[in-house]
Amino acid sequence: MKRLELPDTEWRRVSPKLVVVDLVGALVFLLATAAGAVVFWLLLDVLWLAIVLAALAICGLVNLILVPRRVRAIGYQLREDDLLFRRGIMWQRFVAVPYGRMQLVDINRGPIARGLGLSELKFVTAAASAGVTIPGLLEADADALRDHLVDVAESRRAGL
Amino acid sequence: MTESSGAALPSNAPQQGVSSARPVVRLTDGEWHRLHPVSPLLKGGFFLIVILGWVVANLRERIAAIFIPQYDREGNPIDYIVSHGYIIQALLIIVGVLIVLIGVFYVSWRMHTFRITDEVVEVRSGVFVRTNRKARLDRIQGINIVRPLVARLFGAAKLEINQAGHDANVNLSYLGSGAADDLRREILRLASGTHAAAAPAAATAGDTVIDRRVNEFLAPLQDTTTPPESIVKIHLGRLIGSMILGTGSTFMLLIIAGIVVWISITGNFFALVIAFPSVLGFGSYYVRRFSKSLRYSISGTPDGVRVGFGLLSTTNETLPPGRIHSVEVFQPLFWRPFGWWEVRVNRASHSRTRGADNQANTTLLPVGNIAEVTKVLELLLPDLVGEDSVAMIERGLRSRGGDDGFTNSPLRAAWLRPLSWRRNGFLVTPGSFVLRKGAVWRRFIVVPQPRLQSVAIEQGPVLRMLRLVDVHLHTVHGPIRAHLDVVDQDAAIAFFDTVATAAVAAGQRDTSHRWREGDAPA
């Protein structure tokens, strides 16, 4: 089964250090659910809740294993007049947003990402569902990208 | 925000040059103006007076006891006041209360001023907490004139200037009825960027005040200079029929059926108690939908589409060109034998005045046949004109699919859309992106190219096995979600590319924020 690919597209990838950030998140989830399952099974003897938590823990484990691939699947491209963004392996998603549609750009840094010098850039348009959020950019790259986006949006300004 | 805006004024005296809102005064001359003098009453003054009257009527013994310590709460307090010679004091208290009330109303009226310049509309209001709101004219999403029943009796109307965003409207409540029409026309003229000269202010015919009121009351949906002819007339029978057979009724039937089954199985009438709130809910839904669809009119003006409705309280809104972000033509299941359709739109502003479907004025045609839908679509989407477009709309609404100009889903999509796969398709016209879907609940969605915010394609594991893709066209938030599922993979990738390119080009060509910029000066 061939995955979805756009023709003639050179993707810019995000920093591999993002793997660490996502791994920590996935690991916390895994440990919390696993510990909960053990507690409910051995100490409190609530078997059904233990099974639910164990199932969640297994999902967490699968998630953990897939993290590196998922990070590698994230990509973006600055085309002449729009920003192209992709993410996902199983559930793939491609979005194209014209620069002129930009309402604002957000840069967020979580605690772990900040430790690794990473930023997350969010491109906000008037449509709530666009959801273009590029994680795992190096701080300098994110700032440069933000300034670039603001510049090109200004020169290609469109109304709502 | 007290007087910081005063810096922009020629002088620091904000009350200077303020004049009362009358049709004879040009309201768009950039000076500060006041609202209609009955505004405080209409905005809640009546309510306050009624509450006050109720309190006095119920507590008069206690009130009398407060002011007259000797009074022992026996007998009628008014007799007591009269017989003991307290009339002067009582009258003084009443007059004092009245003066305070009038004073409060007067101050709040006096502090509420607005001005309209070539670029912005600005409103200042509030006595203790000052508010100042400034809105750019070229960002106007629509201008709504609302005339509640009581306000109509006073010849007043509320002007709502809608801007994009949540609670971002500029309200001028209330203005004189004629002044509101003039002001809307003038604001739209300034916003359109036209160089045409202003039309002379038209006065409502009638010699006396009473005549003018009556004339305004009888013709509330008409602009005095350009009376637009509604292109659609909704007959009462069709309106009632459409409500009986509409989506709401389908749900109600399901609930009734559920209750009947429940009672017949359990023999327990408790279910009726649970059903009662939903009956109330449906009742208010029907009343609202009915009253908001009465005397419905839609017409085209040089400054956009004008939609009016209402029998006792009327609403009349103008949507300038390029303010409609997507259009959906929808057919509930039971409307099909009659060939009825409903037209809804997505728009960037969210008016406080609710429309026909309890949506924020998003239903532009509550019910209509295919000819009327075509006329409305031509009005809303000026790019869709000519024989080809009429044929395309007809196919978009009624075609069962096949080779009809649309790029439809392949046979393997039948695994996921067993009924509608034949019809499930898209089309790119010179000005719009067109989606068509649904075999049971038929939908036809048009997104004007300059209004598209972004485009996305998505594919999950099941779709990948079938080499299918979901396509999403993102517009501003509203009742319509412009997405098309199970499109052939190669077709979808090509469509994605076309849409991305066309949206950029259309966005750069678009001049609708100043929609009459090119007009020659008159």
Side-chain angles (χ1 to χ4, degrees), chain B residues 265-512:
Chain B
I265 289 175
T266 61
N268 187 342
F269 283 84
F270 186 65
L272 286 178
V273 181
I274 302 169
F276 189 66
S278 65
V279 169
L280 278 185
F282 277 114
S284 74
Y285 166 80
Y286 282 126
V287 168
R288 186 187 295 277
R289 188 169 168 109
F290 185 70
S291 64
K292 299 275 172 159
S293 304
L294 278 174
R295 292 188 63 192
Y296 174 86
S297 73
I298 179 167
S299 54
T301 71
D303 289 316
V305 182
R306 179 166 303 172
V307 184
F309 55 78
L311 186 63
L312 296 175
S313 302
T314 67
T315 301
N316 183 348
E317 178 159 39
T318 303
L319 291 167
R323 266 65 175 177
I324 289 164
H325 289 251
S326 57
V327 183
E328 180 183 73
V329 187
F330 171 65
Q331 184 173 55
L333 181 59
F334 298 113
W335 285 12
R336 184 177 296 197
F338 306 92
W340 292 338
W341 302 83
E342 180 180 327
V343 179
R344 286 185 285 197
V345 297
N346 269 8
R347 39 190 297 200
S349 63
H350 297 279
S351 168
R352 289 233 181 133
T353 312
R354 294 190 168 259
D357 215 0
N358 203 13
Q359 294 282 358
N361 281 356
T362 50
T363 302
L364 282 201
L365 179 65
V367 57
N369 61 26
I370 201 158
E372 290 161 347
V373 166
T374 308
K375 277 194 276 186
V376 170
L377 285 183
E378 280 174 350
L379 202 60
L380 299 180
L381 306 157
D383 291 320
L384 289 185
V385 283
E387 297 274 309
D388 290 352
S389 294
V390 173
M392 190 275 287
I393 293 169
E394 154 77 27
R395 284 197 302 270
L397 295 179
R398 283 209 285 227
S399 169
R400 289 179 180 281
D403 185 20
D404 59 356
F406 283 76
T407 310
N408 295 323
S409 295
L411 174 58
R412 56 185 188 276
W415 290 104
L416 296 169
R417 293 285 183 281
L419 297 174
S420 68
W421 64 274
R422 257 184 255 269
R423 219 179 103 73
N424 195 67
F426 64 85
L427 179 68
V428 180
T429 69
S432 311
F433 306 116
V434 182
L435 307 180
R436 174 180 73 180
K437 58 188 184 178
V440 179
W441 284 273
R442 298 195 281 195
R443 283 171 201 278
F444 174 74
I445 299 170
V446 185
V447 180
Q449 287 184 1
R451 299 280 82 78
L452 186 80
Q453 298 293 324
S454 54
V455 55
I457 50 176
E458 287 173 19
Q459 189 182 51
V462 178
L463 288 179
R464 185 165 308 129
M465 278 197 299
L466 294 165
R467 286 193 297 113
L468 298 170
V469 169
D470 292 346
V471 180
H472 296 249
L473 302 180
H474 300 140
T475 66
V476 297
H477 179 73
I480 307 166
R481 287 179 60 230
H483 65 105
L484 188 70
D485 294 345
V486 297
V487 182
D488 174 70
Q489 184 167 318
D490 298 332
I493 289 172
F495 184 56
F496 180 78
D497 205 43
T498 316
V499 170
T501 318
V504 169
Q508 283 167 3
R509 274 199 313 274
D510 184 45
T511 56
S512 60

Side-chain angles (χ1 to χ4, degrees), chain A residues 1-2 4-7 79 81-82 84 89-98 101 126-127 129-130 156 158 160, chain B residues 141 164 325 348 450-461 464-465 469 474-475 489 493 496 500 504 507-508:
Chain A
M1 269 183 301
K2 210 164 109 291
L4 210 53
E5 271 302 332
L6 295 184
R79 293 199 290 195
D81 291 306
D82 59 357
L84 202 58
I89 317 160
M90 281 290 260
W91 279 272
Q92 281 186 292
R93 183 167 197 268
F94 294 78
V95 192
V97 200
R101 294 294 172 200
S129 46
R156 291 168 179 77
L160 265 183
Chain B
Q141 298 293 318
H325 289 251
R451 299 280 82 78
L452 186 80
Q453 298 293 324
S454 54
V455 55
I457 50 176
E458 287 173 19
Q459 189 182 51
R464 185 165 308 129
M465 278 197 299
V469 169
H474 300 140
T475 66
Q489 184 167 318
I493 289 172
F496 180 78
V504 169
Q508 283 167 3

Side-chain angles (χ1 to χ4, degrees), chain B residues 72-290:
Chain B
D72 52 3
R73 296 193 192 178
E74 293 288 324
N76 190 331
I78 292 175
D79 289 344
Y80 185 88
I81 287 168
V82 172
S83 60
H84 287 72
Y86 288 119
I87 294 175
I88 305 292
Q89 290 92 323
L91 282 179
L92 280 179
I93 288 171
I94 290 169
V95 168
V97 168
L98 276 181
I99 286 175
V100 167
L101 265 185
I102 291 171
V104 167
F105 286 158
Y106 177 75
V107 169
S108 85
W109 172 72
R110 204 173 157 78
M111 301 297 269
H112 199 142
T113 54
F114 69 94
R115 69 168 172 174
I116 290 140
T117 68
D118 290 350
E119 292 289 322
V120 294
V121 49
E122 192 176 354
V123 178
R124 296 182 308 192
S125 62
V127 180
F128 298 111
V129 183
R130 295 287 280 157
T131 328
N132 187 314
R133 183 167 262 198
K134 215 173 198 176
R136 288 185 57 80
L137 289 183
D138 60 354
R139 292 280 168 176
I140 287 175
Q141 298 293 318
I143 302 188
N144 204 354
I145 295 183
V146 185
R147 295 181 172 91
L149 180 58
V150 180
R152 279 176 76 193
L153 295 175
F154 281 87
K158 179 158 59 174
L159 190 82
E160 242 182 23
I161 302 169
N162 298 325
Q163 300 277 337
H166 184 69
D167 186 26
N169 300 335
V170 178
N171 287 324
L172 299 178
S173 50
Y174 289 79
L175 294 166
S177 199
D181 280 331
D182 288 347
L183 187 57
R184 171 163 69 183
R185 198 177 53 244
E186 284 300 298
I187 292 176
L188 287 172
R189 190 183 64 81
L190 288 174
S192 69
T194 179
H195 300 292
T204 314
D207 293 334
T208 65
V209 174
I210 301 294
D211 280 354
R212 280 208 298 276
R213 285 288 167 280
V214 170
N215 288 344
E216 278 169 8
F217 201 83
L218 293 179
L221 297 183
Q222 286 188 356
D223 190 298
T224 40
T225 47
T226 50
E229 186 74 15
S230 176
I231 57 166
V232 171
K233 286 214 164 40
I234 300 180
H235 296 292
L236 195 62
R238 179 185 288 178
L239 182 59
I240 294 170
S242 74
M243 281 168 49
I244 292 172
L245 297 168
T247 319
S249 304
T250 318
F251 278 112
M252 198 169 73
L253 279 182
L254 283 177
I255 290 177
I256 290 173
I259 290 167
V260 168
V261 168
W262 174 263
I263 290 175
S264 59
I265 289 175
T266 61
N268 187 342
F269 283 84
F270 186 65
L272 286 178
V273 181
I274 302 169
F276 189 66
S278 65
V279 169
L280 278 185
F282 277 114
S284 74
Y285 166 80
Y286 282 126
V287 168
R288 186 187 295 277
R289 188 169 168 109
F290 185 70

